[in-house]
């Protein structure tokens, strides 16, 4: 950047010097040739036989009004109107002054070959000196700027490598930074430290809230579900209450799903430790849990198809939440037909014959709280949670859907994570 600036500065200086030199040269030469004309006119006023100017670079002719005079004036000059004319003869710049004086017309031709050479060398030397000065100033400016920016660059690199959960504040200590650590760098360091401390305090509060909220909310939900299970299993419970108890159980399960969703969104990592697990077993459990949601939809068939039995390494909790949310979505939006869960060697597919989605809905389907059909159940969190977990776990999630025909959701597994 400094090199580009230096080159542009040299070009600008050269252009300015050339333009100003040309203007000054033209003005000086015009004044010189007019001075010769005035001197000749003054001389003729004193002596009518005063000779015309003549030097190695100046040639003049005077043509009296009465005729005669110097017949050697070039014919091309005689056709020119009075005034100052620029000529180029044999590659050399000339200026010709044609001026009406008392008793005749004066022609003065002045050659500026020497002036042009002097001006050219003057411009070259000026540009050379300016280039050296600009290069020296640019180099010094670069050195000074680099010394001032180097600690900021080092600090930015250290901050970029930070783990947000455990930032290394010692790495940005002013005493360990290279270059010139000025007041601005120290202020920036203090601001980063303050921001880091506030962020750490916020994360601690968030972790504490997540842990306490999980415990406080799950406990009453567990009580509700257990009580509903006991009532449904009690032979003395009237049949007309069984339907209401089923709805209570379903609502409790939905609340647990929403709770899981918010807790997962509040975290930055994948829930649960990394481990080896059987995908088929997780899929079977998710299918059995989803059957309860289809109790009121006898026209929907839910089936698990085993085409492979892969063992995955990762978070089984993350996979369980993904399958649960995807199956819940399929159950919500399928009123008749089939829901098929197909376990393959390198992917698992969940197909349904539900309402499907058009291209506009597919563009927003992963947005939290967005629902394809606002009048059908669901909280609009299932696909958002599944997408976030798929990105964190390294299991790409793809959705193919046709409005009115159904949807197919595919979870793919990286080859390095699949074991058979």
């Amino acid at each position: 950047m400094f090199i580009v600036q230096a080159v542009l500065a040299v070009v600008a200086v050269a252009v300015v010097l050339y333009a100003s030199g040309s203007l000054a040269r033209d003005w000086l030469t015009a004044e010189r040739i007019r001075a010769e004309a005035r001197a000749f006119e003054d001389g003729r006023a004193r002596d009518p036989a005063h000779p015309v100017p003549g030097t190695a670079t100046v040639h003049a002719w005077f043509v009296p009004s009465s005729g005669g005079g110097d017949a050697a004036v070039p014919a091309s000059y005689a056709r020119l109107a009075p005034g100052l004319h620029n000529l180029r003869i044999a590659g050399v710049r000339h200026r010709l002054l044609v001026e009406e004086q008392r008793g005749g017309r004066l022609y003065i031709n002045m050659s500026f070959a020497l002036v042009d050479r002097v001006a050219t060398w003057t411009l070259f030397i000026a540009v050379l000196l300016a280039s050296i000065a600009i290069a020296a100033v640019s180099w010094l400016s670069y050195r000074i700027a680099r010394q001032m920016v180097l600690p900021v660059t080092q600090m930015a690199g250290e901050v970029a490598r930070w783990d947000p959960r455990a930032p290394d504040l010692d790495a940005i200590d002013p005493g360990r930074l290279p270059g010139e650590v000025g007041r601005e760098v120290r202020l920036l360091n203090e601001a980063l430290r303050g921001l880091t401390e506030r962020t750490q305090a916020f994360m601690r509060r968030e972790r504490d809230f997540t842990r306490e909220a999980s415990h406080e909310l799950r406990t009453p939900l567990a009580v509700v579900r257990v009580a509903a299970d006991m009532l449904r299993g009690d032979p003395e419970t009237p049949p007309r209450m069984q339907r209401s108890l089923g709805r209570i159980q379903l609502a409790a399960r939905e609340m647990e799903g929403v709770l899981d969703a918010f807790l997962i969104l509040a975290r930055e990592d994948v829930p649960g430790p990394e481990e080896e697990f059987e995908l088929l077993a997780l899929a079977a459990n998710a299918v059995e849990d989803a059957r309860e949601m289809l109790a009121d939809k006898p026209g929907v068939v839910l089936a698990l198809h085993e085409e492979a039995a892969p063992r995955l390494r990762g978070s089984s909790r993350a996979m369980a939440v993904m399958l649960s949310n995807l199956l819940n979505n399929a159950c919500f939006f399928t009123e008749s037909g089939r829901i098929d869960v197909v376990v393959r060697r390198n992917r698992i597919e969940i197909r349904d014959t539900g309402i499907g989605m058009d291209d506009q809905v597919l563009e927003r389907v992963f947005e939290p709280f967005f629902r394809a059909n606002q009048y059908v159940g669901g909280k609009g969190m299932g696909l958002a949670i599944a997408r976030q977990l798929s990105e964190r776990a390294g299991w790409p999630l793809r959705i193919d859907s046709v409005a009115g025909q159904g949807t197919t959701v595919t979870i793919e597994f990286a080859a390095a994570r699949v074991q058979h």
Side-chain angles (χ1 to χ4, degrees):
M1 187 63 182
F2 280 96
I3 295 176
V4 174
Q5 292 177 347
V7 171
L8 291 177
V10 170
V11 172
V13 168
V15 170
V16 170
L17 288 177
Y18 177 79
S20 59
S22 297
L23 292 174
R25 181 182 59 189
D26 291 344
W27 181 79
L28 289 173
T29 55
E31 288 298 313
R32 168 72 190 283
I33 199 169
R34 287 193 176 99
E36 291 286 351
R38 287 193 297 270
F40 174 74
E41 186 176 21
D42 293 342
R44 284 191 69 251
R46 295 188 300 269
D47 180 8
H50 186 79
V52 294
T55 64
T57 59
V58 177
H59 297 84
W61 302 266
F62 182 74
V63 180
S65 301
S66 58
D70 194 342
V73 59
S76 59
Y77 293 0
R79 292 193 297 268
L80 296 176
L84 197 60
H85 304 275
N86 292 314
L87 305 175
R88 183 166 292 276
I89 303 173
V92 178
R93 191 173 64 90
H94 292 252
R95 301 200 80 176
L96 175 67
L97 176 65
V98 181
E99 185 176 272
E100 298 287 350
Q101 294 191 353
R102 287 175 298 180
R105 175 177 288 189
L106 176 66
Y107 298 86
I108 300 180
N109 179 17
M110 183 175 291
S111 170
F112 294 101
L114 179 61
V115 174
D116 288 342
R117 286 197 297 271
V118 171
T120 301
W121 278 103
T122 302
L123 176 63
F124 174 75
I125 294 172
V127 170
L128 179 61
L129 293 177
S131 301
I132 294 173
I134 290 173
V137 171
S138 299
W139 183 78
L140 290 175
S141 300
Y142 169 75
R143 295 283 298 179
I144 295 173
R146 186 173 183 275
Q147 289 296 316
M148 297 177 64
V149 174
L150 190 59
V152 178
T153 303
Q154 180 74 15
M155 189 183 301
E158 294 294 339
V159 172
R161 288 190 292 271
W162 271 358
D163 180 354
R165 292 165 294 186
D168 184 9
L169 293 176
D170 293 335
I172 63 171
D173 187 86
R176 299 177 60 177
L177 296 176
E180 182 179 348
V181 180
R183 178 173 177 272
E184 294 80 4
V185 176
R186 297 184 183 278
L187 289 175
L188 178 60
N189 182 275
E190 293 175 2
L192 284 173
R193 288 179 176 273
L195 176 62
T196 302
E197 292 173 358
R198 291 193 297 272
T199 302
Q200 290 294 302
F202 172 78
M203 292 177 66
R204 285 193 297 270
R205 290 196 299 270
E206 184 183 26
R207 283 195 298 268
D208 293 341
F209 170 78
T210 300
R211 183 175 56 253
E212 294 173 3
S214 176
H215 174 75
E216 295 297 330
L217 294 176
R218 287 182 184 278
T219 299
L221 284 176
V223 172
V224 170
R225 290 195 63 182
V226 170
D229 290 340
M230 293 178 63
L231 286 173
R232 291 193 73 179
D234 189 347
E236 297 184 2
T237 302
R240 63 178 181 276
M241 293 183 62
Q242 294 291 334
R243 185 180 180 87
S244 297
L245 290 172
R247 290 179 177 176
I248 291 174
Q249 289 178 316
L250 181 59
R253 186 162 53 251
E254 288 182 18
M255 291 180 67
E256 287 183 343
V258 172
L259 176 60
D260 279 342
F262 283 115
L263 294 180
I264 290 171
L265 286 177
R267 300 181 57 160
E268 292 188 355
D269 55 354
V270 177
E274 186 170 290
E275 59 186 352
E276 289 188 7
F277 61 91
E278 296 281 353
L279 177 61
L280 190 60
L282 281 182
N285 291 335
V287 167
E288 288 304 317
D289 290 341
R291 291 189 189 282
E292 297 184 17
M293 300 182 63
L294 298 175
D296 296 335
K297 298 180 179 180
V300 179
V301 176
L302 175 60
L304 174 64
H305 304 274
E306 177 186 350
E307 296 187 5
R311 288 180 59 85
L312 300 185
R313 181 165 186 81
S315 171
S316 60
R317 174 61 177 157
M319 178 58 72
V321 173
M322 290 174 66
L323 293 176
S324 175
N325 286 334
L326 295 176
L327 277 171
N328 286 350
N329 257 34
C331 293
F332 276 130
F333 296 107
T334 303
E335 296 298 326
S336 62
R338 297 184 58 86
I339 299 175
D340 294 303
V341 180
V342 184
V343 180
R344 302 183 187 275
R345 182 184 64 83
N346 59 350
R347 65 184 183 275
I348 182 170
E349 299 175 356
I350 300 175
R351 307 171 184 167
D352 66 63
T353 58
I355 63 174
M357 294 174 282
D358 56 25
D359 292 340
Q360 292 182 344
V361 174
L362 282 174
E363 290 179 357
R364 301 185 56 193
V365 73
F366 293 117
E367 296 179 10
F369 304 108
F370 176 77
R371 289 186 292 170
N373 189 332
Q374 303 295 325
Y375 302 102
V376 180
K379 305 297 184 294
M381 295 295 297
L383 291 178
I385 293 297
R387 177 64 173 271
Q388 289 200 20
L389 288 177
S390 73
E391 292 176 349
R392 296 176 188 177
W395 297 323
L397 180 67
R398 187 180 75 251
I399 296 181
D400 300 300
S401 186
V402 178
Q405 297 183 21
T407 301
T408 298
V409 182
T410 304
I411 304 174
E412 299 179 350
F413 316 127
R417 290 177 173 264
V418 178
Q419 300 182 4
H420 303 281

